[in-house]
Amino acid sequence: GSLRYFSLGDITFRDQTGTVTGQGRPYEMALDGAYARKLSDNFSVGVALRFIYSDLASAAPPTASGASSEPGIAGAGDISAFYTREQNYFGKDGRLNVGLNISNIGNKINYGNTAQSDFIPTNFRLGAGSTINIDEYNQITLSFDLNKLMVPTPDTLSGAASASGIVLDTSGSDQSVIEGMFSSFGDAPGGFEEEMREISPSVGIEYLYNQQFALRTGYFYEHETKGNRKYLTFGVGVNWKVVDLNFSYLVPTIGGTATSPLANTLRFSAIVSFDNFKDDTKQEDAGNNGQEIRVN
């Protein structure tokens, strides 16, 4: 299980004349439940179910036409597969990992101020990582991922311009979620070249000492016409008995004067391992007349 919460901080709402109409604090959250199954020594699969609550502008006053914004609610699921095997790298023991994940397969979301519902960001991710055991205490992992949104590509070439000059397109809004997922691999109006722009690569490296302390860094790239998210990540991880704590910090690398909503984003996670808790209990009671105490 997991809970993710993302706050966009305080924002000020203004009308078309620039007059302040209120204050808001947009946020999004997701509550997950996941299950994984090991099918063999090398292969496993997993599924997850997710409840999404997205409150972006519910505090904003109604528009001149009387339309108001409400929090968006959606349900979604993930499917994943994982393959791992021992490997030898330059005479050093190691491990090769390959993972596949399709996330956010779920219903469209509506924020209440329009009859149109929008696709949530269904995402396809394929990645591989290689771990090299330098010696008994030192370990290095290199990883590489490819990401692609599995939603219809907006056709800005034929979309109608709004009063503000922004190109609007709803060509994919009438498709079902499954239709949108499959059509996303060949619907870019710019052809094959634009399809390739929709694939975002990322690379990372981790140094792990004695299975307890980790240093990490990575880079994520997204084409400027497909979101323009480009950032470095720096992170640390600490494993203390049954608890694994991880922290990361994002540094946007967009050039010029452009700013990123991801600037100064801090992420952290806490993982509790019940297997490790059980192992620690066994060690503490190893001298108890040979009896084993189980924690259920």
Side-chain angles (χ1 to χ4, degrees):
S2 68
L3 171 66
R4 285 186 288 179
Y5 179 89
F6 182 77
S7 172
L8 283 76
D10 295 317
I11 66 170
T12 301
F13 295 110
R14 299 177 184 270
D15 61 18
Q16 293 180 339
T17 64
T19 303
V20 175
T21 58
Q23 297 285 331
R25 190 173 180 83
Y27 72 95
E28 294 184 305
M29 61 174 288
L31 181 65
D32 294 12
Y35 174 78
R37 178 73 176 179
K38 190 175 181 180
L39 302 180
S40 70
D41 290 339
N42 303 100
F43 186 69
S44 59
V45 295
V47 295
L49 296 178
R50 176 173 303 111
F51 170 76
I52 300 170
Y53 187 87
S54 177
D55 188 357
L56 297 181
S58 62
T63 64
S65 62
S68 60
S69 178
E70 300 176 359
I73 297 176
D78 303 350
I79 56 174
S80 59
F82 180 72
Y83 174 80
T84 182
R85 74 177 186 189
E86 294 183 356
Q87 195 83 4
N88 185 279
Y89 297 102
F90 312 106
K92 300 287 186 179
D93 292 335
R95 182 167 291 276
L96 172 67
N97 297 323
V98 180
L100 169 69
N101 175 265
I102 302 177
S103 61
N104 286 329
I105 306 171
N107 64 289
K108 299 177 184 180
I109 196 168
N110 185 288
Y111 289 93
N113 57 359
T114 175
Q116 177 183 332
S117 296
D118 299 308
F119 289 90
I120 61 175
T122 305
N123 188 76
F124 174 89
R125 173 178 294 178
L126 177 65
S130 294
T131 298
I132 304 174
N133 299 317
I134 300 175
D135 54 36
E136 184 180 356
Y137 297 101
N138 299 283
Q139 185 180 94
I140 290 181
T141 299
L142 301 173
S143 60
F144 178 74
D145 284 359
L146 294 174
N147 292 269
K148 186 187 187 311
L149 281 176
M150 298 179 67
V151 296
T153 302
D155 187 358
T156 56
L157 300 178
S158 61
S162 67
S164 62
I166 300 176
V167 175
L168 303 177
D169 175 75
T170 59
S171 59
S173 61
D174 58 343
Q175 296 185 25
S176 68
V177 172
I178 301 301
E179 287 176 331
M181 290 172 57
F182 284 101
S183 68
S184 65
F185 288 95
D187 63 354
F192 179 77
E193 182 178 355
E194 185 175 354
E195 286 290 349
M196 291 298 99
R197 292 176 184 174
E198 295 182 354
I199 300 176
S200 299
S202 56
V203 62
I205 183 172
E206 176 194 70
Y207 166 73
L208 181 63
Y209 176 74
N210 199 29
Q211 301 296 317
Q212 292 184 322
F213 179 74
L215 294 174
R216 307 181 180 103
T217 186
Y219 182 70
F220 177 88
Y221 173 85
E222 186 176 62
H223 195 272
E224 52 266 24
T225 63
K226 297 299 178 180
N228 201 28
R229 291 177 299 167
K230 302 181 180 71
Y231 53 83
L232 289 164
T233 60
F234 300 94
V236 296
V238 179
N239 180 274
W240 184 75
K241 293 186 177 180
V242 300
V243 179
D244 189 9
L245 300 176
N246 298 281
F247 303 87
S248 72
Y249 187 75
L250 274 63
V251 181
T253 59
I254 301 175
T257 59
T259 58
S260 171
L262 294 176
N264 304 318
T265 298
L266 175 67
R267 295 175 177 172
F268 65 91
S269 68
I271 303 172
V272 179
S273 173
F274 293 98
D275 282 341
N276 290 344
F277 180 78
K278 187 161 51 178
D279 291 342
D280 286 348
T281 305
K282 290 179 181 179
Q283 292 177 6
E284 293 174 0
D285 294 283
N288 187 18
N289 297 326
Q291 297 179 1
E292 176 183 310
I293 294 191
R294 297 191 177 188
V295 178
N296 295 319

